[in-house]
């Protein structure tokens, strides 16, 4: 409630301020349709192209001497004799320590080590369409529960949180629902020319915190997953924590908050039993 200014009569309250006037120069305004009736501008918001980021990171690692094995599926992780073994469709690799960072598919690899971890796929869907005019910045459509991100000459539209035990199942109906919710808010989109229809299963945890630390019952296998919807954002901090766990320099209090043992269960004869570390 707005208080009267000093000297204002109680019987003649000041006129309420009309508030900030809309500015026609707001980035993305011209691309919005009649369904977008109101909004506000949030400064210091950024978006990146995930594919370009990963490709650039991989190139930098290769130039630094890292060997990347692409197109291979990891079938199991084993530990024994003070060493770890990673079996893949491209061969078997051994190392002192292995880090499992396979998103929601980390569940299956941990089960091979006799441990169940609480991860649930929270599936999000996206696609890209040509739009004229193309927004110049990220737009979050709250009512439609969708995010519009300009990537190159197209607009990436993403949304949905679908909980499904099958992380690989794609439901076309989810894409259709995003289109139906977004269409009134976006003018100039050629919906028939959409491309890159895609689904990604986010690794969701019961408490919203990632699982970072040693897999219970192992000494040389670490887990780094369960970042929910913030994987790209939390990647650098996760890398620093994993490095600290490997070198002994991690903050014990910080590491304890993300210890996988808090939700993990040992598997014995197909039965889950609790673990304490």
């Amino acid at each position: 409630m707005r208080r009267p200014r000093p000297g204002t009569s109680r019987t003649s309250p000041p006129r309420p301020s009309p508030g900030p006037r809309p500015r026609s120069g707001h980035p993305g305004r011209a691309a919005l349709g009649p369904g977008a009736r109101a909004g506000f501008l949030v400064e210091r918001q950024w978006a990146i192209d995930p594919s370009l980021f990963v490709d650039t990171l991989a190139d930098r690692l290769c130039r630094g001497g890292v060997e990347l094995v692409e197109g291979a599926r990891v079938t199991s992780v084993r530990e024994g004799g003070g060493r770890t073994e990673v079996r893949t469709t491209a061969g078997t690799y051994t190392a002192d320590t292995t880090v499992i960072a396979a998103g929601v598919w980390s569940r299956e690899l941990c089960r091979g080590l006799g441990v169940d971890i609480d991860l649930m796929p929270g599936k999000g869907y996206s696609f890209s369409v040509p739009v004229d005019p193309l927004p110049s910045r990220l737009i979050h459509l709250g009512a439609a529960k969708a995010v519009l991100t300009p990537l190159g000459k197209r607009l990436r539209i993403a949304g949905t949180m679908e909980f499904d035990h099958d992380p690989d199942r794609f439901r076309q109906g989810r894409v259709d629902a995003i289109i139906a919710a977004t269409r009134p808010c976006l003018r100039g989109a050629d919906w028939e020319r959409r491309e890159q229809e895609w689904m990604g299963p986010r690794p969701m945890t019961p408490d919203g915190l990632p699982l970072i630390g040693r897999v219970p019952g192992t000494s040389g296998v670490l887990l780094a997953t369960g970042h929910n919807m913030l994987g790209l954002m939390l990647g650098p901090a996760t890398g620093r924590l994993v490095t600290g766990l490997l070198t002994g320099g991690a903050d014990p209090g910080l590491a304890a908050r993300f210890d996988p043992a808090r939700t993990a269960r040992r598997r014995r004869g197909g039965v889950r039993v609790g673990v304490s570390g």
Side-chain angles (χ1 to χ4, degrees):
M1 186 175 191
R2 184 174 179 178
R3 295 182 179 179
R5 295 191 299 269
T8 301
S9 169
R10 290 180 180 271
T11 57
S12 302
R15 294 178 62 188
S17 168
R21 296 181 179 179
R23 297 184 299 180
S24 59
H26 276 191
R29 183 182 176 92
L32 295 177
R37 296 187 296 271
F40 55 91
L41 178 65
V42 180
E43 300 287 358
R44 300 178 64 82
Q45 298 286 295
W46 299 275
I48 68 171
D49 184 333
S51 296
L52 179 60
F53 171 76
V54 172
D55 289 344
T56 303
L57 178 61
D59 181 67
R60 181 169 181 177
L61 291 171
C62 289
R63 286 189 280 109
V66 175
E67 179 186 358
L68 298 180
V69 180
E70 299 185 77
R73 183 174 63 88
V74 177
T75 57
S76 67
V77 176
R78 297 286 184 267
E79 183 182 47
R83 300 277 287 173
T84 62
E85 180 181 86
V86 180
R87 298 178 181 178
T88 80
T89 54
T92 299
Y93 301 84
T94 59
D96 296 328
T97 304
T98 293
V99 179
I100 299 177
V104 72
W105 294 279
S106 301
R107 296 182 305 178
E108 283 65 37
L109 296 177
C110 287
R111 284 171 182 165
L113 292 162
V115 177
D116 264 336
I117 56 174
D118 281 334
L119 279 182
M120 171 64 72
K123 294 153 67 171
Y125 289 74
S126 70
F127 55 90
S128 69
V129 293
V131 178
D132 186 19
L134 184 69
S136 59
R137 64 179 296 145
L138 181 146
I139 298 175
H140 182 196
L141 301 176
K145 296 181 172 59
V147 176
L148 317 179
T149 307
L151 291 179
K153 297 181 179 181
R154 299 175 68 88
L155 187 68
R156 179 178 180 263
I157 302 178
T160 305
M161 173 64 79
E162 177 190 38
F163 290 102
D164 184 354
H165 285 283
D166 185 349
D168 299 303
R169 179 163 46 193
F170 181 93
R171 298 178 188 268
Q172 183 63 42
R174 295 292 183 177
V175 172
D176 297 339
I178 295 174
I179 295 172
T182 307
R183 189 190 294 269
C185 302
L186 185 65
R187 70 172 82 247
D190 190 342
W191 300 102
E192 300 306 317
R193 292 176 56 199
R194 64 182 182 271
E195 298 177 357
Q196 299 171 314
E197 292 187 347
W198 182 84
M199 178 276 297
R202 311 174 186 100
M204 310 296 290
T205 59
D207 58 7
L209 295 178
L211 305 172
I212 308 171
R214 299 194 183 277
V215 175
T218 73
S219 59
V221 182
L222 272 68
L223 185 63
T225 188
H227 294 81
N228 297 274
M229 300 176 68
L230 301 174
L232 189 61
M233 184 182 300
L234 296 178
T238 298
R240 285 193 292 270
L241 179 54
V242 169
T243 299
L245 291 170
L246 291 173
T247 61
D251 179 286
L254 179 64
R257 297 189 63 187
F258 306 113
D259 191 341
R262 73 183 190 276
T263 64
R265 299 289 185 273
R266 295 288 295 173
R267 297 177 65 88
R268 295 177 183 171
V271 178
R272 293 171 50 148
V273 295
V275 299
S276 58

